[in-house]
Amino acid sequence: MTTTATITKQFMTSEQLLEHWQGHRNLTRRVIEAFPEKELFEFSVGGMRPFAKLAVELISIGGPALKGIIEKNMEAYNEEGFNPKTKEEILKKWDEETEVINHYFSQITEERFQETFNLFGQYEFPVYQNILYFVDNEIHHRGQGYVYLRALGIEPPFFWERF
């Protein structure tokens, strides 16, 4: 009996996934920068949260969630610990969390991406799906920021310029 081995090519490496996510984070950072200080914290459309609150949500998810995945800690999601008063504080924390994401992401083995993890004790999906959720959630909120900027008469950054 003859056995034939099939070689499959990987669609994306973990490094490429991180690069993709960080590209989105770079763009979202530029959206934060585009807001005037007052409007970042106060302006909203249709009852949605101001963009500062959306940015705090994103800051409160990525790094803490990856840390939880690495440490196998299903602690509940919490964005109450960071209450910025200035755009500078948000950008500083954004940059700090980028380093946290890089640190913990690099510790996820290829096998772990396929493991189911109960993120924040709420969402039980494979690790890779949790990470895709972080990216999707960021794109969703960044879209809200684009609407706000346009409503303020400010041209947002081009969505394809992620680096």
Side-chain angles (χ1 to χ4, degrees):
M1 176 176 190
T2 307
T3 305
T4 304
T6 303
I7 298 173
T8 57
K9 291 196 177 215
Q10 186 173 355
F11 165 69
M12 179 183 276
T13 65
S14 57
E15 292 83 10
Q16 290 169 321
L17 176 57
L18 178 60
E19 181 181 353
H20 177 78
W21 183 12
Q22 291 296 16
H24 281 288
R25 288 183 55 76
N26 289 336
L27 181 53
T28 302
R29 188 185 197 288
R30 290 181 35 230
V31 170
I32 295 165
E33 290 173 331
F35 272 88
E37 184 98 21
K38 180 178 183 287
E39 286 76 4
L40 178 63
F41 289 89
E42 296 178 8
F43 186 81
S44 71
V45 173
M48 294 187 290
R49 295 174 288 169
F51 199 67
K53 289 203 179 282
L54 302 176
V56 168
E57 176 185 318
L58 297 172
I59 287 168
S60 302
I61 289 176
L66 288 180
K67 183 178 184 214
I69 289 167
I70 292 301
E71 296 178 356
K72 298 187 179 185
N73 179 350
M74 295 177 279
E75 203 170 295
Y77 166 75
N78 179 9
E79 63 183 76
E80 302 301 317
F82 178 53
N83 297 301
K85 304 292 183 231
T86 66
K87 182 180 2 180
E88 183 179 319
E89 287 178 82
I90 291 174
L91 292 170
K92 181 176 185 287
K93 184 71 168 172
W94 189 268
D95 294 341
E96 290 169 0
E97 286 305 304
T98 296
E99 292 308 312
V100 170
I101 288 167
N102 289 338
H103 174 75
Y104 286 107
F105 192 96
S106 68
Q107 296 178 47
I108 301 172
T109 63
E110 294 298 323
E111 297 77 28
R112 288 277 333 263
F113 280 104
Q114 303 303 320
E115 286 180 18
T116 298
F117 184 75
N118 190 336
L119 182 65
F120 300 125
Q122 299 175 7
Y123 312 107
E124 193 154 329
F125 297 103
V127 167
Y128 80 89
Q129 285 186 11
N130 283 308
I131 292 168
L132 292 175
Y133 162 78
F134 308 153
V135 177
D136 291 346
N137 188 49
E138 181 166 335
I139 293 167
H140 163 72
H141 287 319
R142 188 173 63 238
Q144 290 173 270
Y146 273 57
V147 170
Y148 293 177
L149 289 172
R150 290 199 182 277
L152 291 165
I154 299 168
E155 181 75 25
F158 296 123
F159 74 89
W160 60 85
E161 290 182 353
R162 297 187 192 144
F163 298 96

